[in-house]
Amino acid sequence: MSRCGVNSCLCCGAFFWLSFLSAQDFQQRGFIETGLTVYPQTAPNDSSHAVGDALLRYQASYKVRPWLRISGALDARYDTHQQVERSLALDWQDRSLRRPLLALRELNATLSKGKLTAELGKQFIRWGKADILNPTDRFAPKDFLSVTDPDFLAVTAARVVYDTGSDSFDAVWQPRFTPSRTPLLDQRWTVLPESLEGVTLRDLGSIFPGRSSFGARWNHIGKGYEVSASFYDGFNSLPIFQAVSETDFRRLYPSLRLYGADAAVPLPWFTVKAEAAYYTSPDKQQDEYLIYVIQFERQIKELAMVVGYAGDAVTSYTPGLQFSPELGFARAVLARAQYTIDSTRSVSTDVAVRQNGAGSLLRSVYSQSVGQHWRVTTGLAWLRGVSSDFLGQYHRNSYALLALRYSF
């Protein structure tokens, strides 16, 4: 895994130091969070019952000119379960199997002039309108070390948006590939076939794509509706696992060409949102399929509700093993509800039930702020199903969590 060099570290330090010299154009914030996740059951490849973790995140932005802003964020984290690396080197690429101990979360420059906005550098790019699953969101790799609680990863890219108010045109060029993180082989979120239980597997590493990725999206806001169309030509951020021998494997990232569309229509009683994407494989290394989502959302005072269905249709099968949470959450009823009790307390619930009943997920989280800086979060997740189902295979991974955050 490549690391940030000395010169890059000096540049990052200089950026933050100069920012402090112009306080009126400088903004900063951050938090320190510690958490504990408790699993009542063990797994065949993981005998632990508890995982502790800590995260320090610092974010800063500096308005250099009225038309230019520089933003950055740093993460420092640690855990008790070896999901975080122990090297002190600053990671800027997010290509490691484990989370880096020190990471440049993002660093980018935003240039704005009239209807035109350009963003250059490591940034978060989100496409799509649905809230429960986003098939068109191709510049958004995720950290799936805990499958049911993924976190987004930034990508190094150049993005240009031209917005007229009713129409916007979004073009993205990603020169360097950023993969999604998959569950670690020796931990509970990797469920091995019974034939491989007890077998020592050897990971030979990843072969990353060498060329760039491109994407474009058009969005139109009409009278009483909003629609978008998108195109992506690049690579799947999730790998296929290629067997080299009976015990050795490596990761490959198949080429991906995607055609997507989404829409939102506000109606008197609820808002309807739909999103769909067709995944094709130019190098024929992965399946070709359609994923679609239709959802209904409603706001009733302090209660926000979303209920929908995610489906798929596979048009071409390719032999091989691929980790695909998007397909795993397809053919399922998905729902989310969030209730704001008051200015300091809220509770949310997420539900996913496969249409054949073979797997289900129920997760509920309660959050309360204490004073101006502290927040306490507690939650429970319940997973059930059969081992042959994507959700059902994690039936041993129900958990309870407790987190304490101090914001500054």
Side-chain angles (χ1 to χ4, degrees):
M1 180 185 67
S2 299
R3 296 291 185 181
C4 183
V6 174
N7 292 336
S8 298
C9 292
L10 292 174
C11 290
C12 294
F15 159 67
F16 287 112
W17 174 253
L18 291 173
S19 298
F20 278 109
L21 300 180
S22 302
Q24 70 274 17
D25 296 320
F26 177 71
Q27 296 179 349
Q28 63 176 333
R29 61 177 180 172
F31 64 82
I32 302 172
E33 182 174 272
T34 58
L36 175 66
T37 305
V38 178
Y39 298 94
Q41 292 181 277
T42 61
N45 59 338
D46 197 333
S47 61
S48 65
H49 283 281
V51 176
D53 61 84
L55 170 63
L56 166 63
R57 178 168 295 163
Y58 176 75
Q59 299 171 281
S61 65
Y62 178 51
K63 190 175 182 180
V64 183
R65 294 286 187 271
W67 49 271
L68 174 61
R69 178 173 291 277
I70 298 176
S71 303
L74 294 170
D75 279 359
R77 62 174 77 230
Y78 196 81
D79 78 328
T80 63
H81 205 52
Q82 298 292 323
Q83 293 180 334
V84 176
E85 294 186 334
R86 299 302 189 249
S87 171
L88 286 174
L90 181 66
D91 186 307
W92 62 275
Q93 297 187 88
D94 283 317
R95 285 186 165 185
S96 60
L97 298 180
R98 303 177 191 272
R99 295 165 183 151
L101 190 148
L102 297 174
L104 183 66
R105 177 175 168 83
E106 61 178 317
L107 181 61
N108 55 75
T110 303
L111 301 87
S112 303
K113 182 68 173 179
K115 301 176 181 179
L116 189 65
T117 301
E119 191 163 0
L120 311 173
K122 192 174 184 181
Q123 57 186 289
F124 292 91
I125 301 174
R126 299 298 314 280
W127 282 359
K129 292 185 175 64
D131 301 287
I132 50 181
L133 190 67
N134 293 108
T136 65
D137 211 6
R138 288 305 91 204
F139 291 102
K142 295 180 182 179
D143 181 332
F144 284 108
L145 292 194
S146 296
V147 175
T148 58
D149 299 282
D151 191 17
F152 288 100
L153 301 173
V155 297
T156 301
R159 183 183 190 184
V160 178
V161 179
Y162 183 78
D163 192 346
T164 66
S166 59
D167 292 275
S168 65
F169 303 89
D170 190 347
V172 179
W173 172 55
Q174 181 185 352
R176 189 172 182 81
F177 176 75
T178 300
S180 290
R181 286 197 183 95
T182 56
L184 297 173
L185 191 65
D186 60 348
Q187 297 189 9
R188 65 170 61 243
W189 292 102
T190 292
V191 181
L192 297 173
E194 291 185 2
S195 59
L196 292 178
E197 289 184 8
V199 177
T200 301
L201 299 177
R202 189 169 60 149
D203 187 347
L204 300 182
S206 303
I207 299 179
F208 296 115
R211 72 169 179 87
S212 303
S213 300
F214 305 88
R217 184 171 185 259
W218 163 75
N219 187 80
H220 174 72
I221 301 176
K223 188 176 180 180
Y225 69 94
E226 184 175 352
V227 295
S228 297
S230 56
F231 171 77
Y232 173 82
D233 184 14
F235 302 90
N236 197 327
S237 68
L238 292 163
I240 57 174
F241 298 94
Q242 183 186 62
V244 179
S245 68
E246 292 184 357
T247 59
D248 298 349
F249 71 94
R250 60 186 176 189
R251 294 172 177 81
L252 303 177
Y253 295 87
S255 61
L256 176 66
R257 192 166 294 150
L258 178 144
Y259 306 88
D262 52 74
V265 181
L267 299 175
W269 289 95
F270 49 77
T271 297
V272 181
K273 292 183 179 179
E275 187 171 338
Y278 182 56
Y279 295 65
T280 67
S281 179
D283 58 9
K284 304 302 179 184
Q285 286 190 324
Q286 70 164 50
D287 295 346
E288 297 187 340
Y289 50 87
L290 171 74
I291 297 181
Y292 60 91
V293 178
I294 183 167
Q295 71 175 53
F296 304 88
E297 64 179 51
R298 176 84 187 273
Q299 179 84 36
I300 305 175
K301 294 184 179 180
E302 287 78 26
L303 177 64
M305 298 180 294
V306 177
V307 179
Y309 176 79
D312 68 5
V314 179
T315 60
S316 177
Y317 288 94
T318 301
L321 177 62
Q322 183 171 22
F323 175 71
S324 180
E326 289 164 330
L327 285 174
F329 277 91
R331 301 189 184 185
V333 175
L334 307 173
R336 176 178 298 159
Q338 180 168 341
Y339 180 67
T340 303
I341 303 171
D342 54 35
S343 60
T344 63
R345 297 177 297 164
S346 66
V347 61
S348 64
T349 300
D350 294 278
V351 178
V353 181
R354 298 275 277 181
Q355 67 183 28
N356 59 4
S360 63
L361 164 67
L362 172 64
R363 178 177 54 216
S364 187
V365 176
Y366 171 80
S367 182
Q368 178 173 344
S369 60
V370 181
Q372 294 183 338
H373 300 285
W374 294 95
R375 176 168 291 277
V376 179
T377 301
T378 61
L380 293 170
W382 185 65
L383 292 117
R384 283 296 179 266
V386 299
S387 298
S388 58
D389 181 80
F390 177 82
L391 289 175
Q393 67 181 329
Y394 301 118
H395 61 272
R396 297 184 182 91
N397 289 4
S398 297
Y399 62 85
L401 65 87
L402 173 64
L404 179 64
R405 174 180 292 197
Y406 176 81
S407 300
F408 55 87

